[in-house]
Amino acid sequence: MDQPYLDINNAGGRRQLVLRDEAITIGRHADNKLVLADHMASRFHCVIERRGAQFVLRDLGASNGTRVNGQLVRTVALAPGDVVTIGSTNLVLVLPGTDFSPGVASAVPDDDATEEIEELTEADMVEELTEADLVQDIEELDLDNVDRIPLLLDDSDEEIIELDNPLPDVPTGAPPTLVQGGLDDYESRLWSMAEAQTDRFFGEADIAILDCKGQVQHAAGKPIGPGERQPPDVLRLLLLLCFRSRATDIHMEPREGSFHCRIRVDGVMVDVCDFPASMGTRIGGVVKVLCQIDTSQRNIVQEGHFAATSPGRDRQVRRVDYRVSFAPAVTGQKLVVRVLDPTTAPAKLADLVLPKDLEEALNDAIEQDSGMVLVCGPTGSGKTSTLYALVRSIDVQQRNVVTIEDPVEIRIENATQIPVDEEKGNTFPTLLRSVLRQDPDVILVGEIRDAETARVAMQASITGHLVFSTVHTKDALGTVYRLLDLGVEPYLLAQGLQVIIAQRLVRRLCPACKRATLMTPEQRTRIGPQAEGVTHLYTPVGCARCLGTGYHGRLAFFEMLRATDDLRDAISHSPSGADLRKALEKSPFTRLIESGRKLAFEGLAALDEVEKAVGR
């Protein structure tokens, strides 16, 4: 065998695993690349990643720790012959061509041998480096002469030095028991995932948890030691992970004997950990108390809300609201917590990162005294966030802004926000008519979903009001057809319409681990002329920073239809699709798929993700 490999030796026998470019995750869980049937191994124990000429081992917060040559480690660069011990399993790194025989080194060192290795390491094998030296020494690394390089950790808020081929982020400030064993699997998993994120300017001790009335129930305080966390402290640690990973939802799903916890990050579910049934039930009980929900009921749907505060980057208190839903399932109550974090949404129009011409057109539209601005797309495409960004870009001190939403999710300062409550007769059209009698300048209607709302909103747009709303349609042209189908008179639509934006959200490729690949002939044929001059695309890989997903954050891409004179004339005459497309030929119009492909060409998004969001 002429490629690097791991020599694996345990009770099940001896075998080899070839090391290629992909990361090798190791643990009991079936999703690992190397699955160990070893009760001493954690579900996700450690990972070995190739970085240039190096193979870097990183412990994932395993409860029993990971040993290299008998020593507990967190992150090291492996050298040929290093013995990695996971429970009762030994793995030896073998680089063909080096002076090393795996048959000798694969045995577990006895106590005397361990002491000799530790003395040798301290005296000769490991050189303490400064950050400046680390950059130079990694570039000049000779694996035949250096056993390991310690990865320096910085407890300050300063940025870690970026290398040309950076090593993966490692958890910093981990409690001692993470490397001494004895920590529950779920607790170590939560901690390691939170510490792997880059947004670490505050810790779990800085989070205060408030009940549904805004009263502090679990105040911020001193850090809690590992293994000492009570259910409220475990909940706080879970909220810390959500703060740092930009999670939008928490799911606690009852299973036989456990609760499986997942979070939704960038629109995709990510596994977190399995809580024992007793701990999962107690965490649910803490949430019910915060929401003032009847804890004795388990077979009905229950809803509520609570909040948490933490330090913000601008030295202001950052508040996040949580909307809670309990639903009865076969094995218990499932808990879903919706995370309403205003800091993750675009604050102003500039934060949408629109192309310059689109941004100028929207700026012009929101400065008008009347007209309608519509945002369309499927559920989860970021329509409401875009509308909030538009409203925040308006001078609310000089204009009366009123919103009608179902429900009100994020507060807008100095705006009047009214929730829809159909049980009390407060529907979209009813509230809209009422609002028109309160002298509004700008009206945000959460969604146009029926004929009456469509007609009233369009009439408002031509009688001196600027109206924002959303429509569930596939693209901008589809919005015109939808409004006509809802019974809006063509002349009203032609007069009131200002701008229609179609948008989608796509996951941003993780800059730390994305990989360039050659564009295939099939892709080039499918894209057509737009692919001219493009040779490479980028694909996801996965690392600790992105929770192994290969993506970090989300991007929006857009299609904008401006109401030009030609388009207004076409709409006034009950147009067909051909009439509208002909009218668009005389104005700049970039299709949604073309905007998404530009992100893929720039290495910001994966082409498959773009095509999945829009459709080929």
Side-chain angles (χ1 to χ4, degrees), residues 33-250:
K33 295 287 185 181
L34 175 56
V35 180
L36 299 179
D38 190 330
H39 71 279
M40 296 296 290
S42 295
R43 295 173 68 252
F44 295 93
H45 199 101
C46 63
V47 60
I48 298 176
E49 300 169 301
R50 187 166 192 162
R51 296 290 176 176
Q54 303 179 80
F55 289 96
V56 177
L57 179 143
R58 182 161 42 84
D59 182 81
L60 297 177
S63 58
N64 293 309
T66 304
R67 294 178 180 269
V68 175
N69 298 335
Q71 292 182 307
L72 284 164
V73 298
R74 283 224 301 274
T75 302
V76 293
L78 296 174
D82 273 349
V83 181
V84 180
T85 303
I86 301 172
S88 60
T89 302
N90 297 322
L91 303 94
V92 181
L93 175 63
V94 180
L95 300 183
T98 59
D99 295 331
F100 162 69
S101 173
V104 175
S106 60
V108 178
D110 57 24
D111 293 339
D112 294 335
T114 302
E115 293 177 1
E116 292 176 4
I117 289 174
E118 292 173 351
E119 291 174 1
L120 180 62
T121 299
E122 293 175 357
D124 303 311
M125 292 171 63
V126 179
E127 178 184 0
E128 295 294 331
L129 304 175
T130 64
E131 287 186 349
D133 294 333
L134 181 61
V135 177
Q136 179 179 0
D137 287 356
I138 287 180
E139 292 173 349
E140 300 174 353
L141 177 65
D142 181 355
L143 287 178
D144 292 333
N145 299 319
V146 180
D147 276 9
R148 292 195 292 281
I149 294 181
L151 300 187
L152 303 182
L153 303 179
D154 185 358
D155 293 331
S156 70
D157 289 335
E158 297 179 358
E159 292 292 326
I160 297 175
I161 292 178
E162 293 292 335
L163 309 179
D164 290 339
N165 189 11
L167 293 170
D169 283 350
V170 297
T172 61
T177 46
L178 273 179
V179 294
Q180 294 176 2
L183 189 60
D184 286 333
D185 235 12
Y186 65 84
E187 196 173 344
S188 62
R189 177 71 172 165
L190 285 170
W191 176 269
S192 61
M193 291 181 72
E195 288 298 304
Q197 305 306 300
T198 57
D199 194 7
R200 298 195 300 262
F201 65 94
F202 69 90
E204 58 178 310
D206 300 313
I207 299 174
I209 304 178
L210 289 64
D211 63 17
C212 59
K213 294 183 178 180
Q215 302 296 317
V216 176
Q217 296 297 322
H218 304 286
K222 296 180 180 180
I224 304 296
E228 300 174 1
R229 292 186 179 94
Q230 297 302 309
D233 305 312
V234 177
L235 174 63
R236 196 196 311 268
L237 187 56
L238 181 57
L239 297 184
L240 176 69
L241 173 59
C242 294
F243 271 108
R244 293 182 175 180
S245 63
R246 313 165 319 283
T248 57
D249 299 88
I250 303 170

Side-chain angles (χ1 to χ4, degrees), residues 451 454 458 477-494 570-576 580:
M458 194 58 67
L477 284 179
T479 301
V480 175
Y481 302 140
R482 174 60 177 159
L483 292 174
L484 292 173
D485 287 342
L486 286 173
V488 176
E489 295 293 338
Y491 79 91
L492 275 180
L493 182 56
I571 292 174
S572 297
H573 296 89
S574 300
S576 65
L580 291 179

Side-chain angles (χ1 to χ4, degrees), residues 284 287-288 293 300-303 324-328 333-335:
V287 173
K288 286 189 176 185
I293 293 174
I300 61 174
V301 174
Q302 296 175 299
E303 296 181 346
V324 172
S325 174
F326 286 91
Q333 275 190 308
K334 176 177 178 177
L335 167 62

